[in-house]
Amino acid sequence: MQPGNSDAASSELAVKANSKALLEGSSARHERSLGQFIRWIVLFAGGVLMVMPLVYMLSTSFKFPFEVYNLNLIPEEPTLENYTYVLGDGRFMKWFINSLVIATLTTISNVLFDSLVGYTLCKFSFRGRYIVFIAILSTLMIPTEMLVIPWYLMSQQFGWLDTTWGIMFPGLMTAFGVFLMKQFFESVPDDFIEAARIDGLNELQIWWSVAMPLVKPALAALAIFVFLGNWTAFIWPLIVTNSQDMYTLPVGLTTFSVEQSVEWELIMTGAAISVLPTLIVFLVFQRFIIRGVVMAGLKG
Amino acid sequence: MATLSLQNLVKRYGKTEVLHGIDLEVADGEFIVFVGPSGCGKSTTLRMIAGLEDITSGSVQINGEVVNNLEPKHRNIAMVFQNYAIYPHMSVRKNIGFGLKTSKLPKLEKMKRIEEVATMLGMQDYLDRKPNELSGGQRQRVAIGRALVRNPSVFLFDEPLSNLDAQLRTQMRLEIKKLHQRVGNTIIFVTHDQVEAMTMADRIVIMKDGYIQQIATPDDAYHKPANEFVARFIGAPSMNMLAGKAMDSHIELWNGASIPCSKSNLGIDRNITIGIRPEDLHICTDNNPVLTGLVSVVEPLGSESLLYVDVNGTEIIASGPGRNAPLPNTQIDLTASVESFHIFDQETGESVV
């Protein structure tokens, strides 16, 4: 074969190879975009499933009673009457404040004491440390329903029935919080603690000014969990309270449902209002979580 | 300013003894470097001085006062850690000032001290930055600043340069040495890098397996090693060790070669190890070689070359010229003066000359 022919043949081969690669490439891209499309569909469906109850709750809160059992999302005759009624009812504000006080105090207590115990279990060596940790963890296996009766009897003995303290005390510290904080404190290098010890800080100062700022993301996560848990708690507040004045929001909302009828539009209005603090808590603490992740990335 | 004294310091973890009675006297303003391989007990000793580890037995004295039972904060020491231990959530100013947090100085005085220390370390323009906005060397300076600001009696450095790259390590080494010359405080510095030890120390404490092998000036540790371990550990590349036997008027090497040597204290028929530093082993230009071997690898270093020579199956490192070094697979003759020999007892490893 002449050299010129050889060049032409090789360039022809190269063109064929290129077009084959292009075809293969385009088919791979096609498969990728199909896969992505399916993923989007699944995610969209998931999103709709999550958002629908919220949208329905909001929609119902703007409906008149006759329209409640109509599943349309946009009310035919939108009204603010439900909001006027619920907010105008002194009981609702009382329950709202009860819930806010209880959830806030419980959150503060958990953030402080869970982290203090978690820090102690993580950073101090003492005999029986492991046993204490296991004992705390094992309480996670006991369901709340089993604890309700002993809690009730205890509250009765101490005179805590129908009091704010009575509602709060079982949740002031949680095994889950201790576990979460202990695990996060593991990531705080011992050198930080020892450096502060040499610099003259006492153990409480080290915990507060060195260790706690380093686990802010965990504290934020814990705060969100605890606040939401207490804000939505139902069984224990229902059992321990007798007077409507001491009800928390979830318990109070049930009074809108009586034997003869269930006033869904009022329940949904109350629920819509009660979602607001949880959203605020989440938005406030979420920033710490994101900032924590960024900080960890830079440290590495 | 302070003196430090360690007397028969022992550390046990359960039944395992990791330090077997450390004795050391440190003079006021002295720069002492603990050096040794991993697990030799150098960091444990430092942590016992700092009060971060309990002392099993023995005593630590600072300025003549036994501090065994004193909390770290009451020992008037400052420590710089390997990973800097500067707090990521605080600015440089707060990090440096952290050491003064519990001090009863007026706020203005604290501010002044922070500024002074920052200026001394060239960090005055970075006071409001967070650690993640600083380079490795700057972070290390902040850690040193936090130690400096308290004006302690003793500075403890626990491998502070290990996390830095080679160039920065050399620079920081120099800075710490200059700093010591300026402030004159007693410094105990732990490292596993013998170059750091040699370049910075007034005296080096060489440790192995929880025992001190030798306490000496860098010069003595290099030229008069107390035993085979020190001889191998100090110096890069490592000292060549050749097995041999001391005879009446000569030394018989493991490969049958004979070197005239009339050192009187060697004894007769004694198994010895002869240590020769690579820079003392040269290419032989006369007809009286000590060793003959085949060059396996040549490492050019510019001013000289390192020649890896296979002598009867043993690898020897010798010094060659920077230019026109022998090529690999060349047969060469090597020589060394008897005065440069370090002779160790083969059984005990102790120096016999």
Side-chain angles (χ1 to χ4, degrees):
Chain A
M1 196 185 276
Q2 295 294 314
N5 290 348
S6 151
D7 284 351
S10 63
S11 63
E12 196 180 322
L13 272 174
V15 168
K16 275 184 182 170
N18 280 343
S19 18
K20 199 181 168 197
L22 278 172
L23 280 172
E24 277 173 4
S26 96
S27 126
R29 262 202 304 278
H30 182 71
E31 272 174 33
R32 263 206 306 276
S33 57
L34 186 70
Q36 203 158 11
F37 180 71
I38 293 169
R39 267 200 296 277
W40 278 109
I41 293 285
V42 171
L43 285 173
F44 181 74
V48 168
L49 265 174
M50 303 284 280
V51 171
M52 269 312 282
L54 281 172
V55 174
Y56 190 69
M57 173 187 78
L58 273 177
S59 154
T60 309
S61 71
F62 292 108
K63 287 177 179 174
F64 281 108
F66 70 88
E67 216 189 325
V68 164
Y69 292 100
N70 185 343
L71 288 178
N72 57 338
L73 290 179
I74 298 164
E76 282 168 22
E77 292 176 42
T79 175
L80 286 173
E81 233 174 65
N82 298 324
Y83 284 89
T84 322
Y85 178 82
V86 167
L87 292 173
D89 185 341
R91 293 178 309 163
F92 183 85
M93 283 317 288
K94 182 80 190 155
W95 302 332
F96 190 92
I97 290 166
N98 284 348
S99 278
L100 198 64
V101 168
I102 288 162
T104 307
L105 289 179
T106 316
T107 304
I108 294 170
S109 162
N110 271 272
V111 165
L112 287 178
F113 295 115
D114 291 355
S115 60
L116 198 56
V117 176
Y119 177 76
T120 308
L121 289 172
C122 176
K123 295 294 177 193
F124 290 89
S125 292
F126 54 90
R127 201 181 285 266
R129 174 172 74 155
Y130 190 65
I131 295 169
V132 171
F133 181 56
I134 295 293
I136 292 173
L137 270 193
S138 62
T139 61
L140 281 174
M141 288 185 280
I142 308 169
T144 311
E145 289 77 2
M146 267 184 73
L147 294 167
V148 162
I149 294 171
W151 285 345
Y152 187 84
L153 294 173
M154 212 166 116
S155 304
Q156 201 177 29
Q157 294 295 320
F158 283 119
W160 293 343
L161 289 179
D162 212 23
T163 62
T164 307
W165 177 253
I167 304 171
M168 277 196 316
F169 85 90
L172 289 174
M173 267 186 75
T174 56
F176 168 73
V178 171
F179 172 71
L180 183 81
M181 293 317 298
K182 182 189 174 292
Q183 295 313 105
F184 265 84
F185 280 122
E186 299 280 359
S187 66
V188 175
D190 287 344
D191 284 357
F192 283 165
I193 315 287
E194 288 174 347
R197 220 167 263 160
I198 288 176
D199 282 337
L201 270 68
N202 64 38
E203 298 303 329
L204 209 60
Q205 286 173 314
I206 295 172
W207 165 74
W208 182 251
S209 57
V210 174
M212 287 288 266
L214 294 174
V215 293
K216 263 188 195 166
L219 293 174
L222 180 65
I224 291 172
F225 287 142
V226 174
F227 189 89
L228 293 189
N230 281 279
W231 185 259
T232 55
F234 180 72
I235 293 181
W236 176 243
L238 176 72
I239 290 169
V240 80
T241 52
N242 298 321
S243 60
Q244 282 207 1
D245 268 0
M246 287 313 300
Y247 281 0
T248 57
L249 208 45
V251 180
L253 287 180
T254 59
T255 58
F256 292 129
S257 114
V258 287
E259 273 181 34
Q260 293 78 14
S261 66
V262 180
E263 292 170 302
W264 284 114
E265 70 286 359
L266 297 181
I267 292 178
M268 291 302 168
T269 308
I273 298 169
S274 73
V275 162
L276 280 177
T278 59
L279 275 180
I280 292 168
V281 165
F282 185 75
L283 288 176
V284 167
F285 287 104
Q286 185 199 31
R287 286 186 312 157
F288 288 111
I289 295 178
I290 293 168
R291 202 190 297 166
V293 171
V294 170
M295 202 163 79
L298 284 170
K299 258 194 320 191
Chain B
M1 306 290 259
T3 58
L4 178 77
S5 168
L6 310 182
Q7 286 166 1
N8 199 22
L9 208 58
V10 174
K11 178 68 189 174
R12 266 185 228 109
Y13 292 108
K15 285 179 183 166
T16 313
E17 191 168 291
V18 294
L19 281 183
H20 315 282
I22 300 292
D23 289 299
L24 176 70
E25 296 294 330
V26 181
D28 185 16
E30 202 173 10
F31 197 133
I32 292 283
V33 176
F34 285 0
V35 69
S38 297
C40 70
K42 53 190 190 298
S43 284
T44 308
T45 311
L46 192 82
R47 291 171 60 80
M48 285 162 88
I49 297 169
L52 297 172
E53 292 279 353
D54 290 335
I55 295 167
T56 309
S57 69
S59 74
V60 175
Q61 292 180 18
I62 297 175
N63 277 332
E65 184 198 355
V66 177
V67 295
N68 286 24
N69 299 319
L70 285 187
E71 290 287 315
K73 61 183 171 188
H74 295 130
R75 297 188 182 199
N76 197 17
I77 46 148
M79 188 157 163
V80 178
F81 291 82
Q82 183 175 352
N83 67 3
Y84 324 132
I86 53 172
Y87 307 116
H89 57 287
M90 292 180 194
S91 64
V92 168
R93 187 188 305 278
K94 283 193 175 164
N95 263 294
I96 293 179
F98 196 80
L100 297 175
K101 206 174 164 104
T102 53
S103 139
K104 285 175 183 142
L105 287 173
K107 204 176 171 185
L108 270 177
E109 178 65 24
K110 285 184 185 176
M111 300 289 280
K112 201 177 136 201
R113 271 221 212 167
I114 294 168
E115 297 275 347
E116 272 172 13
V117 166
T119 310
M120 192 190 288
L121 296 167
M123 293 295 293
Q124 67 274 27
D125 296 332
Y126 301 91
L127 280 169
D128 295 316
R129 289 205 189 170
K130 288 275 174 69
N132 59 24
E133 296 166 305
L134 302 176
S135 68
Q138 287 169 332
R139 288 181 203 190
Q140 192 54 275
R141 275 191 210 120
V142 176
I144 294 170
R146 200 174 64 196
L148 266 179
V149 80
R150 288 175 48 217
N151 195 21
S153 305
V154 184
F155 280 109
L156 307 175
F157 287 83
D158 189 7
E159 306 209 28
L161 309 182
S162 304
N163 288 353
L164 305 178
D165 61 52
Q167 200 182 351
L168 204 53
R169 196 183 297 184
T170 313
Q171 188 191 330
M172 286 304 293
R173 209 164 67 197
L174 188 68
E175 284 187 25
I176 293 175
K177 198 164 179 175
K178 279 183 183 169
L179 189 76
H180 177 244
Q181 285 166 358
R182 208 178 318 158
V183 296
N185 290 41
T186 309
I187 292 183
I188 312 287
F189 190 103
V190 162
T191 180
H192 61 266
D193 182 350
Q194 58 91 24
V195 178
E196 271 173 31
M198 291 291 286
T199 51
M200 299 170 90
D202 291 332
R203 279 192 301 155
I204 305 178
V205 179
I206 302 133
M207 294 182 73
K208 184 193 169 205
D209 298 336
Y211 292 99
I212 290 182
Q213 301 294 312
Q214 188 173 4
I215 303 171
T217 61
D219 199 46
D220 281 352
Y222 190 79
H223 294 292
K224 295 175 196 166
N227 55 37
E228 239 184 282
F229 172 78
V230 175
R232 279 180 199 273
F233 195 82
I234 299 292
S238 200
M239 186 185 276
N240 296 299
M241 293 294 176
L242 313 172
K245 194 172 256 187
M247 306 305 273
D248 190 16
S249 59
H250 66 280
I251 295 169
E252 204 172 286
L253 290 182
W254 89 110
N255 62 350
S258 173
I259 308 166
C261 178
S262 54
K263 291 191 175 177
S264 55
N265 56 343
L266 289 184
I268 296 172
D269 236 13
R270 183 182 189 180
N271 287 328
I272 55 169
T273 303
I274 301 127
I276 311 174
R277 295 234 176 251
E279 69 265 26
D280 293 328
L281 202 55
H282 303 286
I283 297 170
C284 181
T285 48
D286 54 26
N287 290 329
N288 205 10
V290 172
L291 298 164
T292 300
L294 196 69
V295 176
S296 55
V297 176
V298 178
E299 279 184 353
L301 298 175
S303 60
E304 60 165 352
S305 303
L306 291 179
L307 310 174
Y308 290 77
V309 185
D310 184 348
V311 180
N312 296 91
T314 302
E315 191 168 74
I316 305 289
I317 308 173
S319 172
R323 287 183 182 181
N324 304 321
L327 296 171
N329 295 319
T330 316
Q331 187 87 13
I332 58 166
D333 292 336
L334 298 168
T335 187
S337 75
V338 176
E339 287 71 41
S340 67
F341 286 7
H342 300 270
I343 297 175
F344 307 98
D345 186 277
Q346 220 171 70
E347 258 178 48
T348 61
E350 296 298 314
S351 172
V352 290
V353 177

